[in-house]
Amino acid sequence: MSLRTEVLIASVGSMILVALFLSFSFIQLMRRIIDRATVDSVSQAMVVLNGEVSAIFTPYEVTVHDVALAASSSANKASLAKMVKRAADDLKNMENDVYYATKISRYEEGGFYIDGADWKPGEDWVPSERDWWKDALAAGDGKVAMGEPYVDAMEGTLCVTLSSPAYDDSGSLVGVAAADIYLNALSDMVKNIKLSENCKINIITKEGLYVTNDDFSAIMTQNYFDTVSSKSIDKISYLDGSVKSFTEGGFFYGVHPIKNTSWFIVI
């Protein structure tokens, strides 16, 4: 090989190596920029998404609070019954039940139970022994508690109950107002929220169990962390209460705690 050829090969080879290095560096830089922009976009979207999910619960929270407030204002049984029935009708398209129970047993004078869906509880059904009653008392006056999912006695399906206590002017408990949200209906409502064309949005408990899912059989039986494809998501750190978003393997992931609950939105 002549000296001229060697010099030519060395020169061209050096140029090719430099070009490859610059191209590789540029691609890596662009990937980092795109990833950063995606994460920023997802982080902003998560805030909006949290607002949309929280808005699903708002009508129930307002209803429960208003019924409890009316009971605190010494509204009689007839007035409360009209209010509960009207509230149940207003929320009918969202599959629910609204109800109110007095502290006094319904078998004693002055005690009663009102159900917006006209459900008749069994004789051994005692409101004060139910979790939604205890959750309301733990939340305190003027606040709405959200309990853990359970099987509803009326429908026999999974639901979650929002409840709020009612106190008279002397501060004595007079009753508890509550509303059920059936999780199959909640899943449909969450499913209608679109962050992107192929995005999957779900609500999970602090243990990682699905509260909403397209597959109803997965609700409260499957764990999100057993089904997610990301290898870098750790349950303890992922659900520490902070907002997170990142990209991995061509997918983006995000988590956001839901206000006034122990649940999380995951996307």
PDB file of all heavy atoms in Angstrom, residues 115-130:
ATOM      1  N   ASP A 115     -82.796   5.149  53.015  1.00  0.00           N
ATOM      2  CA  ASP A 115     -81.965   4.639  51.935  1.00  0.00           C
ATOM      3  C   ASP A 115     -82.487   5.152  50.598  1.00  0.00           C
ATOM      4  O   ASP A 115     -83.669   4.960  50.262  1.00  0.00           O
ATOM      5  CB  ASP A 115     -81.963   3.107  51.943  1.00  0.00           C
ATOM      6  CG  ASP A 115     -80.867   2.534  51.072  1.00  0.00           C
ATOM      7  OD1 ASP A 115     -81.000   2.601  49.833  1.00  0.00           O
ATOM      8  OD2 ASP A 115     -79.873   2.038  51.628  1.00  0.00           O
ATOM      9  N   GLY A 116     -81.610   5.800  49.832  1.00  0.00           N
ATOM     10  CA  GLY A 116     -82.016   6.372  48.555  1.00  0.00           C
ATOM     11  C   GLY A 116     -82.414   5.348  47.517  1.00  0.00           C
ATOM     12  O   GLY A 116     -83.143   5.656  46.567  1.00  0.00           O
ATOM     13  N   ALA A 117     -81.962   4.105  47.690  1.00  0.00           N
ATOM     14  CA  ALA A 117     -82.299   3.037  46.747  1.00  0.00           C
ATOM     15  C   ALA A 117     -83.383   2.119  47.309  1.00  0.00           C
ATOM     16  O   ALA A 117     -83.659   1.054  46.748  1.00  0.00           O
ATOM     17  CB  ALA A 117     -81.054   2.225  46.413  1.00  0.00           C
ATOM     18  N   ASP A 118     -83.988   2.525  48.432  1.00  0.00           N
ATOM     19  CA  ASP A 118     -85.063   1.763  49.081  1.00  0.00           C
ATOM     20  C   ASP A 118     -84.613   0.385  49.542  1.00  0.00           C
ATOM     21  O   ASP A 118     -85.418  -0.556  49.601  1.00  0.00           O
ATOM     22  CB  ASP A 118     -86.279   1.632  48.143  1.00  0.00           C
ATOM     23  CG  ASP A 118     -86.932   2.981  47.875  1.00  0.00           C
ATOM     24  OD1 ASP A 118     -86.999   3.803  48.804  1.00  0.00           O
ATOM     25  OD2 ASP A 118     -87.360   3.215  46.730  1.00  0.00           O
ATOM     26  N   TRP A 119     -83.325   0.259  49.858  1.00  0.00           N
ATOM     27  CA  TRP A 119     -82.847  -1.023  50.386  1.00  0.00           C
ATOM     28  C   TRP A 119     -83.328  -1.207  51.812  1.00  0.00           C
ATOM     29  O   TRP A 119     -83.296  -0.283  52.620  1.00  0.00           O
ATOM     30  CB  TRP A 119     -81.316  -1.065  50.337  1.00  0.00           C
ATOM     31  CG  TRP A 119     -80.720  -2.312  50.925  1.00  0.00           C
ATOM     32  CD1 TRP A 119     -80.841  -3.588  50.449  1.00  0.00           C
ATOM     33  CD2 TRP A 119     -79.908  -2.396  52.099  1.00  0.00           C
ATOM     34  NE1 TRP A 119     -80.159  -4.469  51.254  1.00  0.00           N
ATOM     35  CE2 TRP A 119     -79.572  -3.767  52.278  1.00  0.00           C
ATOM     36  CE3 TRP A 119     -79.430  -1.458  53.025  1.00  0.00           C
ATOM     37  CZ2 TRP A 119     -78.782  -4.213  53.330  1.00  0.00           C
ATOM     38  CZ3 TRP A 119     -78.638  -1.894  54.075  1.00  0.00           C
ATOM     39  CH2 TRP A 119     -78.316  -3.257  54.224  1.00  0.00           C
ATOM     40  N   LYS A 120     -83.781  -2.410  52.116  1.00  0.00           N
ATOM     41  CA  LYS A 120     -84.264  -2.722  53.458  1.00  0.00           C
ATOM     42  C   LYS A 120     -83.247  -3.626  54.161  1.00  0.00           C
ATOM     43  O   LYS A 120     -83.092  -4.791  53.792  1.00  0.00           O
ATOM     44  CB  LYS A 120     -85.621  -3.440  53.389  1.00  0.00           C
ATOM     45  CG  LYS A 120     -86.695  -2.681  52.609  1.00  0.00           C
ATOM     46  CD  LYS A 120     -87.007  -1.333  53.252  1.00  0.00           C
ATOM     47  CE  LYS A 120     -88.124  -0.618  52.475  1.00  0.00           C
ATOM     48  NZ  LYS A 120     -88.375   0.749  53.016  1.00  0.00           N
ATOM     49  N   PRO A 121     -82.547  -3.109  55.142  1.00  0.00           N
ATOM     50  CA  PRO A 121     -81.544  -3.921  55.839  1.00  0.00           C
ATOM     51  C   PRO A 121     -82.199  -4.997  56.703  1.00  0.00           C
ATOM     52  O   PRO A 121     -83.355  -4.865  57.114  1.00  0.00           O
ATOM     53  CB  PRO A 121     -80.795  -2.900  56.697  1.00  0.00           C
ATOM     54  CG  PRO A 121     -81.793  -1.813  56.935  1.00  0.00           C
ATOM     55  CD  PRO A 121     -82.623  -1.735  55.691  1.00  0.00           C
ATOM     56  N   GLY A 122     -81.422  -6.051  56.981  1.00  0.00           N
ATOM     57  CA  GLY A 122     -81.901  -7.108  57.854  1.00  0.00           C
ATOM     58  C   GLY A 122     -82.018  -6.625  59.290  1.00  0.00           C
ATOM     59  O   GLY A 122     -81.462  -5.584  59.662  1.00  0.00           O
ATOM     60  N   GLU A 123     -82.736  -7.388  60.096  1.00  0.00           N
ATOM     61  CA  GLU A 123     -82.967  -6.985  61.485  1.00  0.00           C
ATOM     62  C   GLU A 123     -81.677  -6.898  62.294  1.00  0.00           C
ATOM     63  O   GLU A 123     -81.588  -6.133  63.252  1.00  0.00           O
ATOM     64  CB  GLU A 123     -83.934  -7.974  62.158  1.00  0.00           C
ATOM     65  CG  GLU A 123     -85.346  -7.915  61.583  1.00  0.00           C
ATOM     66  CD  GLU A 123     -86.298  -8.831  62.336  1.00  0.00           C
ATOM     67  OE1 GLU A 123     -85.845  -9.471  63.319  1.00  0.00           O
ATOM     68  OE2 GLU A 123     -87.474  -8.901  61.963  1.00  0.00           O
ATOM     69  N   ASP A 124     -80.686  -7.704  61.904  1.00  0.00           N
ATOM     70  CA  ASP A 124     -79.426  -7.716  62.658  1.00  0.00           C
ATOM     71  C   ASP A 124     -78.408  -6.713  62.124  1.00  0.00           C
ATOM     72  O   ASP A 124     -77.264  -6.681  62.575  1.00  0.00           O
ATOM     73  CB  ASP A 124     -78.817  -9.121  62.638  1.00  0.00           C
ATOM     74  CG  ASP A 124     -78.527  -9.609  61.224  1.00  0.00           C
ATOM     75  OD1 ASP A 124     -79.068  -8.999  60.258  1.00  0.00           O
ATOM     76  OD2 ASP A 124     -77.788 -10.597  61.069  1.00  0.00           O
ATOM     77  N   TRP A 125     -78.821  -5.879  61.169  1.00  0.00           N
ATOM     78  CA  TRP A 125     -77.913  -4.892  60.567  1.00  0.00           C
ATOM     79  C   TRP A 125     -77.884  -3.653  61.447  1.00  0.00           C
ATOM     80  O   TRP A 125     -78.890  -2.967  61.616  1.00  0.00           O
ATOM     81  CB  TRP A 125     -78.385  -4.541  59.155  1.00  0.00           C
ATOM     82  CG  TRP A 125     -77.438  -3.675  58.374  1.00  0.00           C
ATOM     83  CD1 TRP A 125     -76.317  -4.060  57.703  1.00  0.00           C
ATOM     84  CD2 TRP A 125     -77.561  -2.260  58.152  1.00  0.00           C
ATOM     85  NE1 TRP A 125     -75.720  -2.985  57.078  1.00  0.00           N
ATOM     86  CE2 TRP A 125     -76.466  -1.864  57.343  1.00  0.00           C
ATOM     87  CE3 TRP A 125     -78.482  -1.292  58.559  1.00  0.00           C
ATOM     88  CZ2 TRP A 125     -76.272  -0.551  56.933  1.00  0.00           C
ATOM     89  CZ3 TRP A 125     -78.281   0.020  58.159  1.00  0.00           C
ATOM     90  CH2 TRP A 125     -77.188   0.382  57.350  1.00  0.00           C
ATOM     91  N   VAL A 126     -76.716  -3.369  62.025  1.00  0.00           N
ATOM     92  CA  VAL A 126     -76.562  -2.233  62.938  1.00  0.00           C
ATOM     93  C   VAL A 126     -75.572  -1.228  62.335  1.00  0.00           C
ATOM     94  O   VAL A 126     -74.381  -1.546  62.184  1.00  0.00           O
ATOM     95  CB  VAL A 126     -76.043  -2.694  64.316  1.00  0.00           C
ATOM     96  CG1 VAL A 126     -75.920  -1.502  65.263  1.00  0.00           C
ATOM     97  CG2 VAL A 126     -76.968  -3.756  64.902  1.00  0.00           C
ATOM     98  N   PRO A 127     -76.027  -0.033  61.965  1.00  0.00           N
ATOM     99  CA  PRO A 127     -75.148   0.956  61.316  1.00  0.00           C
ATOM    100  C   PRO A 127     -73.871   1.253  62.092  1.00  0.00           C
ATOM    101  O   PRO A 127     -72.791   1.370  61.504  1.00  0.00           O
ATOM    102  CB  PRO A 127     -76.037   2.199  61.204  1.00  0.00           C
ATOM    103  CG  PRO A 127     -77.423   1.656  61.149  1.00  0.00           C
ATOM    104  CD  PRO A 127     -77.418   0.454  62.055  1.00  0.00           C
ATOM    105  N   SER A 128     -73.981   1.386  63.409  1.00  0.00           N
ATOM    106  CA  SER A 128     -72.812   1.773  64.206  1.00  0.00           C
ATOM    107  C   SER A 128     -71.724   0.710  64.216  1.00  0.00           C
ATOM    108  O   SER A 128     -70.600   0.981  64.643  1.00  0.00           O
ATOM    109  CB  SER A 128     -73.243   2.094  65.643  1.00  0.00           C
ATOM    110  OG  SER A 128     -73.841   0.961  66.255  1.00  0.00           O
ATOM    111  N   GLU A 129     -72.031  -0.492  63.737  1.00  0.00           N
ATOM    112  CA  GLU A 129     -71.044  -1.554  63.679  1.00  0.00           C
ATOM    113  C   GLU A 129     -70.348  -1.614  62.318  1.00  0.00           C
ATOM    114  O   GLU A 129     -69.405  -2.384  62.130  1.00  0.00           O
ATOM    115  CB  GLU A 129     -71.700  -2.913  63.967  1.00  0.00           C
ATOM    116  CG  GLU A 129     -72.244  -3.034  65.385  1.00  0.00           C
ATOM    117  CD  GLU A 129     -72.922  -4.369  65.631  1.00  0.00           C
ATOM    118  OE1 GLU A 129     -73.071  -5.150  64.647  1.00  0.00           O
ATOM    119  OE2 GLU A 129     -73.307  -4.638  66.784  1.00  0.00           O
ATOM    120  N   ARG A 130     -70.800  -0.788  61.380  1.00  0.00           N
ATOM    121  CA  ARG A 130     -70.245  -0.795  60.026  1.00  0.00           C
ATOM    122  C   ARG A 130     -68.997   0.089  59.955  1.00  0.00           C
ATOM    123  O   ARG A 130     -68.866   1.092  60.673  1.00  0.00           O
ATOM    124  CB  ARG A 130     -71.269  -0.298  59.006  1.00  0.00           C
ATOM    125  CG  ARG A 130     -72.633  -0.972  59.102  1.00  0.00           C
ATOM    126  CD  ARG A 130     -72.542  -2.457  58.854  1.00  0.00           C
ATOM    127  NE  ARG A 130     -72.141  -2.754  57.479  1.00  0.00           N
ATOM    128  CZ  ARG A 130     -72.022  -3.986  56.991  1.00  0.00           C
ATOM    129  NH1 ARG A 130     -72.235  -5.034  57.778  1.00  0.00           N
ATOM    130  NH2 ARG A 130     -71.671  -4.168  55.739  1.00  0.00           N
TER     131      ARG A 130
END
